[in-house]
Structure formats: structure tokens, C-alpha cells
Amino acid sequence: MSGEYEEAFRESIRNPEHFWGAAAKNIVWYKEYDRVLTPGDPPFYRWFEGGMLNTCYNCLDRHIEEGRGDRIALIYDSPVTKTVIKYSYTELCDLVARCAGGLQKLGIEKGDRIVIYMPMIPEAVIAMLASARIGAIHSVVFGGFASRELAKRIEDAGPKIIITASCGIEVDRIIPYKPLLDGALALCTHTPSACIYVQRKEKMVDLKGEQEISWDQLIDAEPASCVPVNATDPLYLLYTSGTTGRPKGVVRDTGGHLVALSWSMKNIYGMEPGEVYWAASDIGWVVGHSYIVYGPLLHGCTTILYEGKSVGTPDPGAFWRVIAEHVVSALFCAPTAFRAIRREDPDGKYRAKYNLSKFRMLFLAGERCDPDTLVWAEEILGVPVIDHWWQTETGWAIGANCAGLELLPIKPGSCTKPVPGYDILVLDTRGDPVPNKETGNVVVQLPLPPGCFTTLWKNDADYIRTYFSAYPGYYLTSDAGFIDDDGYLWIMGRTDDIINVAGHRLSTGAMEEVLASHPDVAESAVFGVHDSIKGEVPFGFVVVKAGAERNKGKLPQELIALVREKIGPIASFKTAAVVQRLPKTRSGKILRGTIKKIADGTPYSIPATIDDPAILDEIKAILQEMGYPKQ
């Protein structure tokens, strides 16, 4: 007997126009669309073509008009500045409208680009919504990005103005933004007409000339009304991190984006209007766009903007404090954060200090979730812990346990069900489906559902070549995984995380799961290194939990034996090393590719997104001591 999930999924694949047409009724349209799905020229599908709407109106104005203006829309919680500020929907809308008016005074029109290079402060959210209010296209760049990476994005997007701040704050460190922005502009041929600065008391800057404007000057303007835009018009550009050469600017449309996020807040996350939702991410990443800013406000929820080091936080109780203080119903964060908390507080003594009685669900995403971390989080919190899987390109979940539809049995690990709208297959290199429980390339049959990217900014050719040429008629996720006998999708890592050991294709993700199951291991990274006999062999780095230091000497041999027991001798896992920390990007992703390049002796550069370059020195020294790179 099929449940709500199965019925919804089948309908979304069999009759996507009916399914998404029903979902679109939750959105306020200035003009009804002509049709739900326009096939066009695959892969260039169009959703809700002919319709006109405005994102900011749906996120703010409509709630006020419907009598919910006094509801709290945004909570700014900044432990680094010891600040908590709450904004009602009416207050936030007023600030956004005045910001939008200021942008119009500067000559910003529908379709113009605005680069937002900001820390996690309310003005960043206001700028995003103000851009959407007048039909401009924003491109948010992670605050503190190095000048070179920022320059690439400015050059490609061609913004008319840039909105930034005088500084960012990371724990106890001040990061001046003006030198970074000045450095980026010096590398660009494109010159914006103005740069706007939010002056923060921690580090004020001198503004020179008419092109450098303070935030207070900007918002000293008459409020602007919402500008209707086409459903197919771009809302924002978001550049994928870690790109080389020309960056990939993911284009998100307006109508499909709103329909998908509205559906997801209710049906994936189980949220009701008025509840508090916290996505512990950054607005510079896709999670911040979808689930700090647009999704919660669209659904009439309260969203939390947290300025602090939420990944690898030095305070294991920081998460619990925010959940308890603001009565959070659901939290979305990366598994990395919970591995860090578990490392410092394996017994959950900090958790016991806080009343989390209103908290009912934890969602994990961003990288693979090892089963041990998921089970630990369930035990500590006493609520369902759900891993889900998605990408910058899709903008919302591809795979999830849709708790709002029907909470299905939870299998620990990076294990999900296909979300309605995503027809997922696992194919081999020839394009043939692989049997259940065999790892292959995860693809999605076209058309992609609403909310997914429609192209790359001014680069249709790369859009087709990168994502749709390997398997015509399918979107290539570049993730490897398998489907089990119950129809669950298991994500084992990026396709380049599959290593070939003596002709056997093995998942480094599966080995990481085994390492993480050891009681002393907090987190791990496995990657392939060159071997003259077998082609590749796996190498593992682990970080131990607090209190497990005494066992470090014996740990590598225990881990080798554990992999041999759980996966078998075929894995050829014979080398493991203990490190203090693993090198990660600021979004919490482990730099496995960079470690592999060090081991292989191939050229590499330190990514601009790394949180601490010095960690790589420890990794490099250990690899050299063990004989890598091997020629």
C-alpha cells in the first residue's frame, strides 16, 4: 500500500505539469503563466513561462498584507559581536524597500547585476531582497574571499554596483574587506559605478570620492515598490566554489525557484508558518540563498542569521544555545559541524544544559554523512536526523526523506529517497543502468524540476558540455552512488572519489564510513594515491575525539584491521595517519582533492576558501615521511 511520498513522487514524474501547477498556487502571481513546463530545446527547459511575479513581494509584502506583519521574520544572532537583533516582517520590509529605493537612485534597473560581498550581517539579507524587489540580479560572494577569486566573479558578472562591509569577524579575528575589494578591482577590466560600504564599529574605513558610498547614505531614500518580472528572468547568479579559469555562474530563475522552495519548506522540512528555522550556513553558499533567506521568508517562518564560526566551533554548546534561546523547530547544517561537536563533547554534557523540547528535526547536507555521526546525533538529540543531498546547481534537495510528506524509515549514512520531481538513475560508463547495490554514476533524467539552474551565465556551451553531454537526456551530478533494494539512494562521494585498486572500483566514501565507526575517530578522509603495482591504493587521515589521545599509537593498525574486516582485503587499505585537523573550506568541506595532489606530487594551489592553510603543512610532512610523492 503506497503512502503519501510514493503517490507524490509518481505524480511528479508521470505528470509534472499537474504536480508543479498545483504547487504554484501557493505563490502570488501578478500575471498567470501560459503553461507550467515549456520543453523548448533540451536541456533548456522553461518553467511557468509567461507568468509575472516578484520574489520580494512573496517573501515580505504578502505576509504584511495578510495581517502577519508583526511576526518575527529575521533573528540576527552574532556571538562574535555579542549581538541579537530581531526584525518583524514589517520592519524588514521597510528596510528592504528603502534599500531598493537607494539602488534605484544609483541607476539600478531591472536586469542589472549587483555583487554582494558581505559578512553574515542583516544588511546582506536586506541587499539580496532589495535587489529582488526591483528586478536586479544579485551575485553573492562569500565574505572574505581572496581578491583573486572575487575578481573572477566581478569580471564575469559585470556588476553595476558592489555592496560590501568595512570588515568581517571570524571568532576573534577582524578581516578588513576594503583591501580585498580594492585588490580585486585592480585585477578587473570591469569597473562598477559605485561601491557601498556598511561601516562596522570593529573596523571603520575612509570612503573616498563619489563612487564610495556608505550604507546609511544608500538607505536614506524613498521606499521602492516591487517590480514585476518574468518567471523565467534570473533572480541571482551564484558562482561555484573551487573553480579554475572562467568561473561557473549558476543562473537561478525566479518563478521555478519560488515554487520549488515553497514546496520544499512544507513537504521536505515539515515547517509551518510562524515556526523558527535555522540553516547554519553562510549566505555566500547556495544553502544560505535557499534556506537562510528565500525559503523560510517565503513560507512565513522566522529565519536565523548566525554570525560566528558554526563549523568546527570552539564552543560545543553554541548550537544548543541558539536552538534553545530562539525556540528552533528545525536545524539544517553540515555533518562536519556535528563531527566537530562530537569530537569535543562525545557524551553530550553541553547538550544537557539546554531545553530543546521544541526542537523536532535535524537535517544534514553539504558532504557525505557517516552513519556513526548520524546515530550519535539521534541519541544526543532524541529527534529524527535526516541526511539529504543536493547541489549548488539544483538549489534544493535532489534526495531527502520528505518529513513533511511522510517520514520514512531512516537508514544511517548518506542515504535518501529521490525527492518528487527528480527521476534518478545510476548508470555505468556506457550509459546502462547498473544493478541494485552496485556503484555507478548518479544522473537525473530531464527535465529537471523547477528551481534548478537554467544555464551558466553567458555560457550555454559549458552548461551543455559540463552537465549534459556525458549522458544525453540526463543531468550528470558527478556524484557516485547506488540504489538499494528498498529504493533508497546512497551517495558515496564525487565520481573522482572512486579509486581503481588493481582493477576493482572502490569507494573511498565507504572506507571513510568504516573509519568513522571506530569509537576513537571524530572524522576521517580517505583518498587514492599512486601505486606502481595496483595503480591506486587508499590512504586515510583521521582526527581523534577528545580523550582518545592515549590510543593514537595503536589506532592506525586498528583502523587497517577494521577496513579489512568490513570491506575486505580487496580494499588494500594499509596506511592511516592521525592528524590534529583536516584541511577544509570555510563551508566545511574536506579538501580531499588537494591532499591527493600533494601525495601524487602534482601541482596544486591552496584554495581561497580554505579555513587554515597551515593544516596542509602537517599533511604534507606526514606524506613525505611515508614516502609520498612516489615517482
Side-chain angles (χ1 to χ4, degrees), residues 308-348:
K309 193 173 175 59
S310 58
V311 173
T313 172
D315 177 8
F319 270 55
W320 319 138
R321 192 271 302 172
V322 173
I323 293 170
E325 185 173 319
H326 303 307
V327 197
V328 173
S329 295
L331 167 66
F332 178 147
C333 72
T336 300
F338 270 78
R339 284 194 284 264
I341 294 169
R342 183 185 179 203
R343 179 189 179 190
E344 299 302 321
D345 185 28
D347 300 323

Side-chain angles (χ1 to χ4, degrees), residues 26 43 59 65 134 174 307 321 366 369 413 422 432 511 521 553 557 592 603 605-606:
N26 292 320
C59 288
E65 292 174 7
I134 58 175
I174 304 296
E307 185 185 24
R321 192 271 302 172
C369 177
Y422 291 95
D432 296 326
M511 296 181 210
V521 172
Q557 290 306 314
R592 294 172 178 84
S605 58
I606 298 175

Side-chain angles (χ1 to χ4, degrees), residues 121-353:
I121 55 178
E123 291 85 352
V125 175
I126 292 166
M128 293 171 71
L129 290 162
S131 172
R133 191 173 188 84
I134 58 175
I137 304 168
H138 65 67
S139 181
V140 181
V141 180
F142 180 84
F145 244 151
S147 295
R148 180 172 170 271
E149 295 300 314
L150 176 58
K152 289 180 185 178
R153 288 149 174 80
I154 293 172
E155 192 73 36
D156 196 66
K160 184 173 281 189
I161 66 166
I162 296 173
I163 303 177
T164 187
S166 58
C167 68
I169 306 169
E170 287 192 3
V171 189
D172 56 356
R173 185 164 64 104
I174 304 296
I175 302 174
Y177 278 16
K178 195 170 190 302
L180 293 169
L181 177 55
D182 289 345
L185 292 174
L187 296 171
C188 291
T189 61
H190 175 81
T191 303
S193 61
C195 294
I196 294 140
Y197 288 85
V198 176
Q199 294 276 27
R200 307 190 74 186
K201 68 178 187 295
E202 291 80 9
K203 176 71 177 179
M204 307 283 280
V205 295
D206 292 329
L207 302 181
K208 301 174 182 177
E210 295 181 357
Q211 283 72 44
E212 294 186 347
I213 301 167
S214 75
W215 175 266
D216 290 342
Q217 288 176 276
L218 174 72
I219 65 170
D220 184 18
E222 287 296 313
S225 300
C226 294
V227 174
V229 301
N230 295 317
T232 53
D233 284 342
L235 171 66
Y236 69 76
L237 313 179
L238 181 59
Y239 290 91
T240 55
S241 59
T243 55
T244 57
R246 181 177 180 179
K248 294 186 296 184
V250 166
V251 178
R252 192 83 62 216
D253 70 357
T254 300
H257 177 251
L258 287 187
V259 172
L261 291 191
S262 174
W263 186 91
S264 72
M265 287 298 297
K266 169 67 175 174
N267 293 288
I268 294 178
Y269 302 105
M271 295 297 294
E272 296 294 338
E275 293 185 320
V276 182
Y277 185 86
W278 180 25
S281 182
D282 191 284
I283 58 164
W285 314 128
V286 70
V287 172
H289 284 57
S290 296
Y291 295 112
I292 295 177
V293 182
Y294 293 117
L297 296 177
L298 177 64
H299 198 54
C301 293
T302 299
T303 186
I304 295 177
L305 183 75
Y306 181 82
E307 185 185 24
K309 193 173 175 59
S310 58
V311 173
T313 172
D315 177 8
F319 270 55
W320 319 138
R321 192 271 302 172
V322 173
I323 293 170
E325 185 173 319
H326 303 307
V327 197
V328 173
S329 295
L331 167 66
F332 178 147
C333 72
T336 300
F338 270 78
R339 284 194 284 264
I341 294 169
R342 183 185 179 203
R343 179 189 179 190
E344 299 302 321
D345 185 28
D347 300 323
K349 62 182 180 182
Y350 288 89
R351 153 69 184 90
K353 297 179 180 179

